[in-house]
Amino acid sequence: MHLIRTAFQWVLGAALTYAGITHLTTSRTEFQAQVPTWVPLDADFVVIASGVVEILLGLSLILLIKHKEKIGWITAAFFVAIFPGNISQYVNGIDAFGLDTDQARLTRLFFQPLLVIWALWSTGAWKSYRASK
């Protein structure tokens, strides 16, 4: 089971690193469209900052094995923090990333909690927390 968790941790790390790179390059405009209008910061700044955070989290999931539980919690918190962008995309009917129907945008909302679970499970963060209680 340890090998499976580690593999899932590395896959999540690679996916986050890739997503972060696309924040800074090929998908920058689409990510800007997801920044809720109520965020009091420039949308491009938010996209760049979240891209850098994603790259750092992704690389940390792959390289900083000794701190994997902490990184798991931080990654889960990041997924919670960016969830309003997904909600905004649904509520405002914003087309991005091939999500061009309300049904597609709504379906995507249900995947964000799975990312939180993935981060906590693959890093052993949740298991470690339960064992400490």
Side-chain angles (χ1 to χ4, degrees):
M1 186 56 110
H2 174 70
L3 240 42
I4 293 171
R5 282 181 193 256
T6 300
F8 272 83
Q9 178 183 330
W10 290 354
V11 168
L12 181 59
L16 277 169
T17 302
Y18 175 77
I21 291 168
T22 64
H23 272 69
L24 306 178
T25 58
T26 59
S27 299
R28 197 157 158 183
T29 303
E30 287 188 284
F31 281 113
Q32 288 173 5
Q34 289 187 295
V35 177
T37 56
W38 52 263
V39 172
L41 300 167
D42 177 65
D44 193 44
F45 171 78
V46 172
V47 170
I48 291 169
S50 62
V52 169
V53 169
E54 284 186 346
I55 292 168
L56 291 173
L57 287 172
L59 293 176
S60 295
L61 283 166
I62 295 167
L63 301 173
L64 301 179
I65 302 304
K66 290 182 181 181
H67 304 285
K68 67 181 180 179
E69 290 93 357
K70 289 177 188 171
I71 295 166
W73 284 109
I74 294 167
T75 302
F78 175 77
F79 287 140
V80 171
I82 63 171
F83 190 56
N86 297 346
I87 294 171
S88 175
Q89 182 180 8
Y90 170 68
V91 169
N92 296 308
I94 298 169
D95 295 345
F97 303 106
L99 303 173
D100 55 2
T101 66
D102 286 342
Q103 181 62 47
R105 289 184 286 270
L106 179 64
T107 301
R108 180 177 188 221
L109 295 179
F110 292 98
F111 284 95
Q112 201 73 11
L114 296 178
L115 290 173
V116 171
I117 292 167
W118 186 352
L120 296 176
W121 174 80
S122 69
T123 60
W126 186 250
K127 182 179 179 181
S128 177
Y129 172 76
R130 284 192 348 230
S132 72
K133 294 296 173 184

